[in-house]
Amino acid sequence: MTEPGYRETGDIALHTESLTKAFGEFRAVDGVDLSIERGEFRSVIGPNGAGKTTLFNLISGALTPSSGTISLLGTDITAQSPAERVESGLARSFQLTTVFDGLSVRENVRLAAQAAEFGDLSTAQQLFVGTESLAAVDQRTDSVLDSVGLADLADAQASTLAYGDRRRLELGLVLATDPEVVLLDEPTAGMSGEETAATIDLVEDVLAEKTLVLVEHDVDLVMRISDRITVLNGGQSIATGTPGEIADNDEVQRAYLGGYDA
Ligand code: ADP
Ligand code: MG
């Protein structure tokens, strides 16, 4: 099944079919079909309680669906553990990435890169990985530090980072796992308008090559940055389209935007 308005132009990075999560009688996510293209920037909007976080929990594997399927780059990942999904190319920020305050910036990034490289090996096996693999981890660490603009602060202890640099480090931890698809659930929660814009600019810059799925409250921002927007309401996807299509959609106006004029 494809979404209304969906143009079949590229590879599908993330696909869900009839994805449903019931808590007792209540369906927090109710038959959601998503088709997100590789490289697309997709935002998911909708009122509080619409099911956005539950949808992300299903995709990341934090929750098991009641029914429906999820595929990543053409592979069915519905039965995979969260760690297996990371190895398949899925990353979720920011809630699942932990910055270790007592470690340096480089050590933090290196740990994330190492976990992605050797995540399927036991600790004992990791002792015996070759210098070639370790060199690959070092290389990825350096390239991530460059991408997020923290090369000069690589030796700083994470606890000493200024607010914006800590956000950069968090994004670095996401990048270090070498994801194809990145889920961002309200990365700007609690930020001022200015911080929000700066964070989203950084996300757009650092993750330009990735497929992004973003939950964000700031509708003006969402309209400006998204390739396509999906609107959830009552657990259901009520519309998917370009920012212009979403702004002009009567049902979306009634359910969420309440007079927003693009
Ligand atoms: P959103 O992120 O869009 O604000 P959520 O996905 O957090 O919405 O929640 C969707 C609905 O599901 C809400 O009504 C919420 O109370 C309910 N819900 C979420 N998690 C649970 C749970 N573990 N048990 C029961 N109800 C839940
Ligand atoms: Mg939420």
Side-chain angles (χ1 to χ4, degrees):
M1 207 184 287
T2 52
E3 298 175 323
Y6 168 67
R7 297 166 292 128
E8 266 180 89
T9 52
D11 292 346
I12 301 304
L14 182 66
H15 184 77
T16 71
E17 210 158 302
S18 308
L19 196 60
T20 298
K21 182 65 184 181
F23 297 111
E25 297 285 285
F26 174 70
R27 292 175 170 216
V29 171
D30 189 4
V32 170
D33 300 319
L34 287 176
S35 279
I36 301 177
E37 282 179 26
R38 223 172 157 137
E40 185 177 340
F41 194 147
R42 174 76 59 101
S43 293
V44 178
I45 62 173
N48 276 330
K52 304 179 296 293
T53 295
T54 305
L55 175 64
F56 274 30
N57 283 336
L58 293 171
I59 296 169
S60 70
L63 286 174
T64 305
S66 306
S67 58
T69 58
I70 307 158
S71 34
L72 188 70
L73 303 165
T75 301
D76 190 321
I77 60 163
T78 317
Q80 288 186 356
S81 70
E84 286 169 333
R85 291 177 201 212
V86 170
E87 279 186 48
S88 297
L90 186 74
R92 182 178 183 172
S93 179
F94 288 79
Q95 291 99 329
L96 286 193
T97 54
T98 315
V99 172
F100 293 105
D101 278 325
L103 299 183
S104 72
V105 168
R106 175 182 280 111
E107 286 163 341
N108 267 285
V109 173
R110 199 172 192 291
L111 271 182
Q114 206 168 314
E117 187 90 354
F118 308 128
D120 51 345
L121 301 183
S122 70
T123 313
Q125 283 175 315
Q126 288 190 26
L127 291 174
F128 296 100
V129 298
T131 46
E132 212 171 290
S133 313
L134 291 176
V137 168
D138 282 333
Q139 203 170 7
R140 193 188 297 170
T141 301
D142 286 339
S143 112
V144 166
L145 289 171
D146 270 344
S147 308
V148 297
L150 286 177
D152 290 345
L153 287 170
D155 297 321
Q157 189 170 315
S159 63
T160 66
L161 291 181
Y163 183 83
D165 289 329
R166 196 176 172 93
R167 287 275 107 81
R168 288 174 185 277
L169 177 54
E170 287 169 343
L171 271 181
L173 299 186
V174 170
L175 263 191
T177 67
D178 200 19
E180 224 1 273
V181 176
V182 179
L183 309 175
L184 300 157
D185 190 0
E186 300 196 42
T188 66
M191 291 186 190
S192 69
E194 210 170 292
E195 287 164 352
T196 295
T199 299
I200 295 298
D201 281 350
L202 180 67
V203 164
E204 273 192 296
D205 180 32
V206 169
L207 301 177
E209 309 290 306
K210 310 293 181 186
T211 307
L212 276 181
V213 193
L214 171 78
V215 173
E216 168 59 46
H217 271 126
D218 185 333
V219 170
D220 287 311
L221 195 60
V222 162
M223 291 290 176
R224 181 169 66 75
I225 62 184
S226 310
D227 293 321
R228 259 171 275 175
I229 299 167
T230 292
V231 185
L232 282 192
N233 191 35
Q236 299 183 337
S237 164
I238 61 168
T240 288
T242 61
E245 288 165 349
I246 292 301
D248 289 343
N249 184 301
D250 290 340
E251 193 182 357
V252 173
Q253 283 288 347
R254 278 193 300 276
Y256 186 58
L257 293 179
Y260 179 88
D261 193 4

